[in-house]
Amino acid sequence: MPPSPVASPSTAAERTRQLRLVAASGLLGTAVEFYDFLVYGTVAALVFGELFFPGADPAVGTIAAFGTFAAGYVARPLGGILFGHFGDRLGRKSMLLLTMGLMGGASFLIGLLPTYDTIGVWAPVLLIALRVVQGIAIGGEWGGATLMVVEHAGGRRRGLWSSFTQMGAPLGSLLSTAVVAYVVTLPKDDFAAWGWRVPFLFSVALLGVGLFVRLKVVESPLFAEVKKDRAESRLPILDVLRNPRPVLLACGVGIGAFTAQSLLTSYMIAYATGIGYARPQVLDALTVSACVALVVLPCASALSDKVGRRPVVLAGAIASAALAFPVLALVDSKSPGLLILAVVLGHGIAQSTMYGPLGALLTEMFGTKVRYTGASLGYQGATLVGAGFSPMIAGSLVAGSGDSTPVALLLTGGAAITALTVCFVRETHQGTLDDSAESAAVPRPEEVSA
């Protein structure tokens, strides 16, 4: 693919206009990508077990459905490496257009996919293949969208501006939940026959809007300078892995947020409906939580511009660990009102506080020549460990134990990993983004002891 045309806005007013456009592009693009990715998780919890893995025990069918869910997460680091390589070599914009097209196409095809009753074993095989394509696409989306915003922002409130991309996740979740909430009101037979396809087919409309906005943005000014000086890395992945510490730290910092995200959204649908909640009650809780997250994310990100990324992420991790058992106790009460409170506390507030500053933090940990590859690999590694297998592990443990304790322990463990890792990351909110900036992966002694 040819590199994106490089253009740098010349005036302050034009740079501000482009920054706003890039932020809107990051928000809409990431929302579209997460809508497509999360619709799968929601529908998998509701119906994929019986449609693509029939004849199995209901618990086994759910675990198998979440196994295909995990396949998308396994593919995400591959997408981060693939699109990171070409994004660092050819440009950020062209890769973002490609990731969006791949995601939208894969989601649309899932909506057309025959079930097991029609084509037998090929149904789950094709489902997994399309899920892998989704994972590869979203693996390249977040890193490119986030660093485009951060690199356009330069030194101007990078945390706040990066939160627009971070807000794409709850906005995508809100859209997916709203569409699924509408189709689940259909009679059960109609939902199983064709209703579940509607959210996937609807993604084509969202794809058109996202591509329209994304086509209007210009290439990252920092990448433009790298291209002009012919200073880009030939093999960004090798340059990143020569010093793996930043990638490992970036992965560790994100694990808590993604563990909470997967367990308190996609898995919560399967768990809560399994203990007696009606589907609309669970979807209502997720909708309220997503609305709260849209407020908490920019607030946490803006706060990280003032007090630092590390204190905000650490506060979110501590809150997530402290709330894990109370949140699951509220869910187990079987009260719809307390279910909403539980998901809002655990996901809308605690998880969003951890997640908000990650966009700026992970982007600041890598130099311009390898930033797309490095930030994507760290972020997607965190999603694989924190979110990819958590629902499947939780489903297996809950099926064996019969209570929610394993879910609470997984939430606590993920938050503990984030809290520990953040102590080894250097504060980055006041640093520069150029390649001469000292790595964020080497903490000052006073920061470790703080």
Side-chain angles (χ1 to χ4, degrees), residues 69-82:
F69 182 72
Y73 280 98
V74 172
R76 286 172 71 157
L78 176 60
I81 294 171
L82 177 64

Side-chain angles (χ1 to χ4, degrees), residues 368-433:
T368 303
K369 291 188 292 184
V370 298
R371 183 169 291 130
Y372 202 144
T373 300
S376 295
L377 197 56
Y379 181 93
Q380 303 306 339
T383 66
L384 173 61
V385 177
F389 297 103
S390 294
M392 188 165 54
I393 294 171
S396 300
L397 295 176
V398 169
S401 67
D403 62 41
S404 62
T405 300
V407 183
L409 289 173
L410 285 170
L411 285 170
T412 304
I417 292 173
T418 290
L420 178 63
T421 306
V422 81
C423 297
F424 294 92
V425 176
R426 169 167 291 183
E427 185 54 71
T428 59
H429 75 295
Q430 293 181 332
T432 62
L433 283 174

Side-chain angles (χ1 to χ4, degrees), residues 256-257 259-261 264-265 289 316 319-321 323-324 326-328 330 339-354 411:
T259 302
Q261 181 187 61
L264 295 176
T265 55
S289 175
S320 185
L323 289 170
V327 159
L328 268 299
L330 291 173
L339 173 65
I340 293 175
L341 178 61
V343 180
V344 166
L345 288 174
H347 181 260
I349 297 177
Q351 189 274 346
S352 296
T353 302
M354 280 190 286
L411 285 170

